[in-house]
Amino acid sequence: MSAPPHPDSETQPIRHGRPRPRRRFGPVRWSVALVLGAGAALATLPDLVGLDAYSPFAQLNAFRPLLVAALAVLVGIGLLITVFARRFWPVPVVLALVALVGASLVLPRTTAEATPPAGGSTLKVLALNVYEGEADPDSLAALIDGQDPDIVSIPEAGGRYKSELEPLLEPLGYELHSSISPRRDDVAGNTIAVADRLGDVETRVGDDVQFPYLEATGGGLGDLRFVAFHSVAPVPRSVGQWREDLGTLSEWCAGDTPAVVAGDFNASLDHSVFRDAITGCSDAAAQTGNGLSGTWPTWAPEWLGPQIDHVLSTEGIVAESFETHLVPGTDHRAIVTTLRVP
């Protein structure tokens, strides 16, 4: 007669407990992903819902190219995390969607938009914000001498800075005009330097903006109106004035006569306020595929900084070239472009 099986022997039936229910993280992880995605979209795409007209989005939106690049890095990090935590995948997916929308808005500016028409004449334009009249006059004069522009827009240059620059540029064949007297601070002024070869060009001051602009007409400009322009910066207390200043641009972009507007607009093509105001105008940098060349601040690499300085022109006028230059004493880069005027 055999002995009863030992309780620990292999013949003892194995008792299985009830399977533990799987924890469901789906709703939680998707909620986290959507919250992060909404925050990323709010920071990167506020102009799509008009929020860039208000602080703090007016300031933040100027950095959209940088924010899109930062999102791409975060997406890469998120994908790396999913290798070890597969349930994390909704986060990089949502962030990638926001990054793709942002990239679709900025990357087209790296491709030339149009081919300059044959014939016509050229107008070479230089523009530089001289930072409250602190840019080195000798360096600016040397840049003008080397580039030989037909006309120069100099924001934040009033009568005082004009008096310093004039003896340096007159021997080079330029006549200078300023929108304010030497008694006012340079930051409020705009100055134009006109090459003598343009002949008898007349200027008028427009004081319907915070910083009076200068409009040049006649002479070698023909029917063209050239405007040296500077808007206020969209700091929190001045966003309303910034919108009003930019709204003035429609006077030239939507006007009946050809126009070129150059200077510091304190706005990039990522601002809906700016895009709406310049309907009818093209941007020289974007036309030549240089729409992501930063013009401010100079301490940041050119590929990093916002492009807030522009040369705008009405339909039919096409930019042939665009480049930037450094001038000591200012936090803006000088921009130089050659326009083909039919």
Side-chain angles (χ1 to χ4, degrees):
M1 186 173 181
S2 62
H6 191 275
D8 295 330
S9 67
E10 293 182 358
T11 58
Q12 180 68 22
I14 299 175
R15 297 180 178 272
H16 295 279
R18 296 179 62 185
R20 294 182 180 179
R22 297 184 63 184
R23 298 177 66 182
R24 299 180 61 85
F25 291 104
V28 175
R29 65 174 181 260
W30 274 107
S31 297
V32 171
L34 292 175
V35 168
L36 292 175
L42 200 60
T44 310
L45 311 169
D47 57 309
L48 300 186
V49 290
L51 287 177
D52 64 312
Y54 307 95
S55 187
F57 303 105
Q59 300 88 2
L60 190 62
N61 207 42
F63 296 90
R64 175 147 71 195
L66 176 60
L67 293 173
V68 170
L71 273 179
V73 172
L74 291 177
V75 169
I77 294 173
L79 292 175
L80 184 62
I81 292 174
T82 60
V83 174
F84 306 97
R86 296 182 61 185
R87 291 191 176 118
F88 189 73
W89 68 267
V91 171
V93 167
V94 172
L95 294 182
L97 291 175
V98 177
L100 286 173
V101 174
S104 70
L105 297 174
V106 299
L107 289 180
R109 295 177 218 157
T110 62
T111 304
E113 293 179 352
T115 302
S121 59
T122 60
L123 182 73
K124 193 170 187 178
V125 178
L126 189 152
L128 174 65
N129 181 320
V130 292
Y131 186 56
E132 301 179 7
E134 295 296 325
D136 179 53
D138 291 298
S139 298
L140 177 54
L143 177 62
I144 293 173
D145 186 25
Q147 293 295 320
D148 192 30
D150 297 299
I151 196 163
V152 184
S153 169
I154 315 175
E156 297 197 22
R160 183 200 65 82
Y161 192 80
K162 169 180 170 288
S163 67
E164 293 185 5
L165 197 58
E166 208 160 27
L168 302 173
L169 292 187
E170 283 185 343
L172 301 178
Y174 288 88
E175 182 179 359
L176 277 72
H177 306 268
S178 179
S179 64
I180 63 172
S181 73
R183 294 188 298 273
R184 294 188 62 184
D185 293 337
D186 281 303
V187 67
N190 283 286
T191 293
I192 282 182
V194 183
D196 292 343
R197 59 179 172 270
L198 287 182
D200 188 17
V201 172
E202 298 181 352
T203 61
R204 77 171 183 90
V205 176
D207 57 4
D208 51 338
V209 292
Q210 185 74 16
F211 302 140
Y213 59 81
L214 272 173
E215 183 182 74
T217 55
L221 293 174
D223 294 332
L224 180 73
R225 295 189 291 171
F226 180 88
V227 184
F229 187 87
H230 182 207
S231 78
V232 300
V235 296
R237 66 180 181 276
S238 301
V239 172
Q241 183 63 55
W242 171 72
R243 293 195 299 265
E244 290 182 18
D245 285 358
L246 293 180
T248 309
L249 298 173
S250 61
E251 175 183 342
W252 302 288
C253 290
D256 297 327
T257 57
V260 172
V261 190
D264 175 11
F265 299 81
N266 277 303
S268 75
L269 290 172
D270 292 308
H271 288 102
S272 63
V273 178
F274 183 56
R275 294 195 304 267
D276 292 345
I278 67 171
T279 300
C281 276
S282 296
D283 177 76
Q287 279 188 324
T288 57
N290 295 284
L292 297 184
S293 298
T295 61
W296 170 91
T298 53
W299 54 260
E302 189 174 0
W303 56 267
L304 179 63
Q307 188 178 92
I308 60 174
D309 302 88
H310 305 271
V311 175
L312 309 172
S313 59
T314 50
E315 185 177 0
I317 303 173
V318 180
E320 293 183 336
S321 63
F322 180 93
E323 56 189 36
T324 64
H325 298 268
L326 290 172
V327 175
T330 175
D331 58 350
H332 287 252
R333 288 182 174 85
I335 57 177
V336 182
T337 183
T338 299
L339 305 174
R340 176 66 61 176
V341 183

